[in-house]
Amino acid sequence: MATDPVCGMSVDPERPAAVVEHDGQPFFFCSKSCAAKFQRDPQRYLDSSYQPDASHPVELHQIGMFQPAKADHGADRPNPGDRSSAAARFTCPMHPEIVSRTAGACPICGMALEAIAPSAAEESNPELIEMTRRFWVCAALSVPLLLLAMADMLPGKPFGRWISPSLAAWLEFLLATPVVLWGGWPFFVRGWASLRNRSPNMFTLISLGVGVAYAFSVAAVAVPGAFPDAFRGENGQIGSYFEAAGVIVTLVLLGQVLELRARGQTGAAIRALLGLVPKTARLVRNDGTEADVPLEELRHGDRLRIRPGEKLPVDGIVLEGSSAIDESMVTGESMPVEKQAGDSTIGGTLNGPGGFLMQAEKVGSETLLARIVQMVAEAQRSRAPIQGLADKVAAWFVPAVVLAAMLAFIAWSIFGPQPALAYAVVNAVAVLIIACPCALGLATPMSVMVGIGRGATAGVLIRNAESLERLEKVDTLVVDKTGTLTEGKPRLVSILPAADRSEDEILRLSASLERASEHPLAAAIIGAAEERRLALQNVANFQSHTGRGICGSIAGQSIALGNRAMMGEFSIDLDKFTNEAERLRRDGQTVVYLAVEGRMAGLLGTADPIKESAPHTIQSLQHLGIRIVMLTGDNRTTAEAVAQRLGIDVVEAEVLPDRKSEVVRRLQSERHVVAMAGDGVNDAPALAQADVGIAMGTGTDVAMQSAGVTLVKGDLRGIVRARTLSQATMRNIRQNLFFAFVYNLLGVPIAAGVLYPFFGVLLSPMIAAAAMSCSSVSVIANALRLRRAPLE
């Protein structure tokens, strides 16, 4: 971490807001305003006697990388006004690089910050509580304020008999002042902070609009004689706009309350996942006694009793007993999974009718559920590339709106009917209020948060928003055969010995050699030898030839076991077995040759069953317009036999593990957007090279870390779900952006009064405030529709 020399905040050098080079050394800053201050007088901030500016609006640092800076404004001391816990961290959904130690507002956009750490309970939101309290008080004051302002429009003009226009104006002042100065105080604070930080936002416009309307009205009541005739109506009175200022504040408060409530629902997916874990576990002690203990006390190796209908507390292995476990809440698969001794289990899943004893293997943050929650939480805070469009627009939007308000004021002052200046003020305020860019800023992050959460509940983990966006554009899917299209658990189905050898001898030599190998075929050969109860022999001088085979010495004889390429390296004649090997390959078997003392001794054929879900998934993906490329190190004949069964047209066979990423690069050079699906360590480079890497959750951690998408169950149907989720989320984002853009493009000219010359229609600032609030709420409501999006 680097330290911002101006404010003393910690900054991630990989994601600074600004970088300035001075005397050949780079300095990193949390905001552009800090960088500008530094550029004006570098020596001031580099002087050892300089103390960072304690008035910096929010204590910031980078997400997940907090390191206290040397000068931190005493931030570790408790703040009596802070209602958040000392360990809590808060971030902005629109600007995830912003992190604060206290609940408050984002210094860039002014939005309320949200807690970073996910919680199982829907905790009370201090910002929501405060805004709700302000709204109800302001609403109670705004109703009589509005009635007073509309007294002349009411039938019979009841207030006119008892209240003079002068007294009515002062009563409006008394009612509007607490609404504007107390109810609207958070908006003025955020508006001022936006100007200080040179980050104009929605609160800049709100504070300007309300401030102008209120200040004008106060002056009109206190010193009416100071105004020229252009401000006076037909009765010679100066119009006041207390009701506009008060009602605008009340409506914006209502919008904030609705928005905060809706935003709270975007974390429902994480809360649902966290809620799966029970609070206690039934621990079986070494002496046989049992007791319920808190989850925090569990350790690796503990034995746990799981009773019928209980949730599993941690990941582990079944020791005794059997049951059917419902894993749908984690994997998205609806059918219960049968579990017996030796099978692995996932914490948070629901046990069925049977009871069993399990051993805890992963506890706390190591469990699959904990890793899923962490991945989802981080992904929800990431930014999609499409958000750059909204960011670019927002950068000039607020200054453009202020300019539009000024032009509206000038135009109405010159060309408007009497009182021209009064009309000018009203329409300028309406422009400022209706053009708040909150809907534009919310359009992308809200959809990303809800979409990624929806995927998590369906067993599809998206690492970041960029992967979610890219997945929609994928036109080519490269699929590793073993473990992805197939079960990844080969079985030995054929043994063809030479004339002077027996099947048991071939199997015994092969299994003895394979004991030192970690290749998937090794388990199949060793398993077959164990079934025949063959006595295996010790191996000397063992060597592994990656992608080709293995060799060693058994009882003084040199043994080689591998594919045709390896036999070629050892100059072993394969002619007598060529036809038989080809026949096995056409049946979809992988052929392994065994040579003893430089001569062919026999061959073995293994078959890896195709996953049950593979054929339907391949058809579904092809229907979505995705070209499937099967990638394998197997012989081409074997690979094409599998591809033919699945309806795959393109096969890349006999590809060595270190060359898989080259195949992906070649496809990318042909202008394809490539996704790669795999599950092994040797797939990690290709997963990282692909535009989107898709890892099977049943595979290795290395593959999962290299991928942008992880399928928890390892089921290929998850790829279809991921693609459908990506399309639904991106469609939702585009809907939000379109609505936000069109809303502002239409709202600003209407508020400025372009319809008045043709239809005599003007947009009241109060209506503008209501429309502005509705725009933000509607964007969030549209994003929340993703929670119910079908993914099959």
Side-chain angles (χ1 to χ4, degrees):
M1 298 298 292
T3 301
D4 186 323
V6 175
C7 67
M9 294 299 99
S10 295
V11 181
D12 184 353
E14 297 295 327
R15 296 190 301 173
V19 181
V20 175
E21 187 168 317
H22 177 69
D23 287 342
Q25 179 182 352
F27 291 88
F28 303 94
F29 299 87
C30 71
S31 66
K32 292 181 180 179
S33 61
C34 284
K37 291 179 182 178
F38 180 83
Q39 286 179 305
R40 286 194 292 269
D41 189 3
Q43 293 306 320
R44 175 193 172 195
Y45 301 105
L46 296 177
D47 193 298
S48 58
S49 62
Y50 168 72
Q51 293 296 321
D53 179 11
S55 64
H56 199 265
V58 180
E59 296 170 354
L60 307 176
H61 54 82
Q62 300 299 317
I63 290 176
M65 300 290 290
F66 176 71
Q67 294 289 338
K70 292 182 179 179
D72 210 4
H73 319 332
D76 288 329
R77 294 193 295 270
N79 179 358
D82 180 18
R83 288 170 288 188
S84 59
S85 66
R89 293 289 181 267
F90 299 86
T91 187
C92 172
M94 286 170 54
H95 301 90
E97 71 275 14
I98 299 299
V99 175
S100 171
R101 299 182 183 187
T102 59
C106 172
I108 297 177
C109 66
M111 286 184 63
L113 302 181
E114 298 177 346
I116 291 177
S119 171
E122 191 166 357
E123 298 177 345
S124 60
N125 184 336
E127 181 80 5
L128 176 58
I129 293 171
E130 181 65 19
M131 288 294 182
T132 302
R133 183 165 63 93
R134 290 178 187 269
F135 165 71
W136 285 115
V137 173
C138 291
L141 294 172
S142 295
V143 170
L145 174 62
L146 194 58
L147 289 174
L148 274 173
M150 298 174 63
D152 290 342
M153 303 179 192
L154 296 176
K157 300 182 180 180
F159 296 128
R161 304 174 192 173
W162 313 306
I163 303 174
S164 66
S166 176
L167 178 58
W170 282 104
L171 287 174
E172 289 180 29
F173 165 76
L174 293 175
L175 289 169
T177 296
V179 174
V180 173
L181 299 185
W182 176 76
W185 182 250
F187 308 147
F188 289 111
V189 171
R190 296 176 189 184
W192 175 244
S194 72
L195 295 175
R196 289 180 55 213
N197 294 324
R198 299 180 187 176
S199 300
N201 53 51
M202 62 172 285
F203 294 103
T204 314
L205 301 179
I206 291 172
S207 56
L208 279 174
V210 173
V212 167
Y214 178 75
F216 176 87
S217 302
V218 170
V221 171
V223 286
F227 287 84
D229 292 340
F231 281 99
R232 301 181 186 277
E234 295 178 359
N235 58 2
Q237 297 290 321
I238 306 294
S240 63
Y241 304 101
F242 287 119
E243 83 287 354
V247 173
I248 287 170
V249 168
T250 304
L251 289 172
V252 174
L253 284 170
L254 175 61
Q256 290 288 295
V257 170
L258 296 175
E259 179 184 315
L260 289 167
R261 285 182 179 175
R263 280 167 56 187
Q265 297 178 43
T266 60
I270 286 185
R271 287 194 295 273
L273 290 171
L274 288 169
L276 297 176
V277 184
K279 299 294 185 290
T280 60
R282 188 74 172 176
L283 177 66
V284 179
R285 299 191 177 97
N286 293 332
D287 59 5
T289 60
E290 300 181 7
D292 291 327
V293 299
L295 229 56
E296 296 78 18
E297 296 182 11
L298 293 184
R299 299 291 181 267
H300 175 83
D302 283 348
R303 292 184 303 157
L304 307 174
R305 175 76 63 193
I306 307 299
R307 291 164 289 196
E310 286 186 335
K311 290 181 179 179
L312 278 63
V314 295
D315 297 358
I317 296 176
V318 178
L319 297 177
E320 299 174 7
S322 62
S323 185
I325 297 180
D326 180 2
E327 297 182 342
S328 61
M329 57 285 294
V330 176
T331 66
E333 298 301 323
S334 57
M335 293 297 294
V337 181
E338 295 290 337
K339 299 289 183 179
Q340 298 178 344
D343 291 339
S344 60
T345 60
I346 303 173
T349 54
L350 183 65
N351 184 30
F356 59 90
L357 189 69
M358 67 171 284
Q359 177 176 297
E361 292 292 312
K362 294 180 179 180
V363 299
S365 61
E366 297 176 350
T367 65
L368 175 63
L369 189 59
R371 290 162 60 198
I372 289 174
V373 169
Q374 183 64 25
M375 184 183 293
V376 173
E378 290 177 358
Q380 287 184 332
R381 296 195 298 268
S382 63
R383 293 163 63 86
I386 196 172
Q387 191 169 340
L389 173 63
D391 291 343
K392 290 177 182 177
V393 172
W396 56 261
F397 187 78
V398 174
V401 169
V402 173
L403 178 61
M406 294 171 62
L407 292 174
F409 181 87
I410 294 170
W412 278 93
S413 300
I414 298 173
F415 304 109
Q418 293 300 320
L421 291 178
Y423 276 116
V425 170
V426 171
N427 286 283
V429 169
V431 169
L432 291 172
I433 297 299
I434 201 169
C436 291
C438 44
L440 187 62
L442 287 168
T444 299
M446 290 299 105
S447 297
V448 166
M449 289 179 71
V450 179
I452 287 175
R454 173 70 181 93
T457 60
V460 178
L461 304 183
I462 310 295
R463 178 167 293 279
N464 51 49
E466 184 176 0
S467 297
L468 186 67
E469 181 174 336
R470 283 184 179 179
L471 191 57
E472 184 203 31
K473 302 173 184 175
V474 166
D475 58 24
T476 302
L477 174 65
V478 177
V479 187
D480 180 57
K481 180 177 77 72
T482 305
T484 304
L485 292 173
T486 63
E487 296 287 351
K489 298 177 181 178
R491 295 195 304 267
L492 183 66
V493 294
S494 301
I495 303 176
L496 298 178
D500 57 341
R501 305 280 180 175
S502 67
E503 285 190 8
D504 284 356
E505 183 184 6
I506 297 299
L507 183 55
R508 176 176 52 79
L509 291 173
S510 300
S512 298
L513 198 59
E514 289 283 20
R515 276 199 301 184
S517 172
E518 296 181 354
H519 194 278
L521 295 180
I525 294 173
I526 294 170
E530 290 175 347
E531 287 179 7
R532 297 194 184 193
R533 298 184 178 181
L534 300 177
L536 304 187
Q537 298 172 272
N538 294 326
V539 178
N541 305 318
F542 177 85
Q543 290 183 339
S544 176
H545 299 261
T546 304
R548 295 185 293 280
I550 53 179
C551 62
S553 298
I554 298 178
Q557 292 181 311
S558 62
I559 311 293
L561 182 70
N563 58 20
R564 187 163 48 190
M566 183 173 176
M567 296 299 111
E569 290 179 12
F570 285 87
S571 301
I572 295 171
D573 184 10
L574 303 178
D575 290 346
K576 293 181 180 180
F577 288 87
T578 300
N579 293 334
E580 291 296 332
E582 194 64 20
R583 178 179 62 81
L584 295 180
R585 291 189 189 103
R586 285 196 298 269
D587 288 340
Q589 296 182 36
T590 299
V591 176
V592 182
Y593 298 91
L594 177 71
V596 179
E597 291 293 323
R599 294 178 56 196
M600 271 297 298
L603 56 81
L604 301 94
T606 61
D608 189 3
I610 293 172
K611 285 184 177 180
E612 184 180 349
S613 61
H616 179 265
T617 300
I618 296 300
Q619 291 178 7
S620 299
L621 290 169
Q622 290 171 335
H623 181 71
L624 291 171
I626 298 177
R627 183 179 69 150
I628 311 296
V629 177
M630 190 177 80
L631 187 66
T632 180
D634 265 354
N635 174 275
R636 176 163 292 279
T637 304
T638 303
E640 289 180 347
V642 175
Q644 187 175 3
R645 293 182 193 175
L646 293 172
I648 298 174
D649 298 326
V650 185
V651 178
E652 295 282 347
E654 301 176 7
V655 179
L656 296 178
D658 56 351
R659 306 297 293 273
K660 289 184 177 182
S661 58
E662 292 184 11
V663 174
V664 174
R665 271 195 295 272
R666 175 166 54 78
L667 291 169
Q668 289 172 325
S669 69
E670 296 170 0
R671 298 186 179 278
H672 292 293
V673 181
V674 181
M676 164 74 186
D679 71 335
V681 173
N682 55 18
D683 295 326
L687 290 171
Q689 173 64 39
D691 295 286
V692 180
I694 303 174
M696 302 293 121
T698 50
T700 64
D701 286 347
V702 175
M704 292 172 67
Q705 291 297 324
S706 303
V709 178
T710 298
L711 308 180
V712 177
K713 184 65 176 176
D715 193 323
L716 279 173
R717 285 173 293 187
I719 300 179
V720 179
R721 292 186 193 132
R723 170 71 170 212
T724 306
L725 174 67
S726 172
Q727 291 176 323
T729 304
M730 296 309 300
R731 184 166 56 248
N732 193 274
I733 288 174
R734 293 189 186 99
Q735 289 168 353
N736 283 346
L737 287 173
F738 174 80
F739 177 80
F741 276 123
V742 170
Y743 166 82
N744 284 293
L745 288 174
L746 294 178
V748 171
I750 291 174
V754 295
L755 298 180
Y756 185 81
F758 309 102
F759 306 105
V761 175
L762 285 178
L763 189 65
S764 164
M766 293 182 287
I767 302 300
M772 181 271 294
S773 298
C774 288
S775 68
S776 299
V777 175
S778 61
V779 162
I780 298 176
N782 188 47
L784 289 173
R785 290 192 307 113
L786 286 170
R787 294 194 300 176
R788 299 182 297 276
L791 300 184
E792 294 295 344

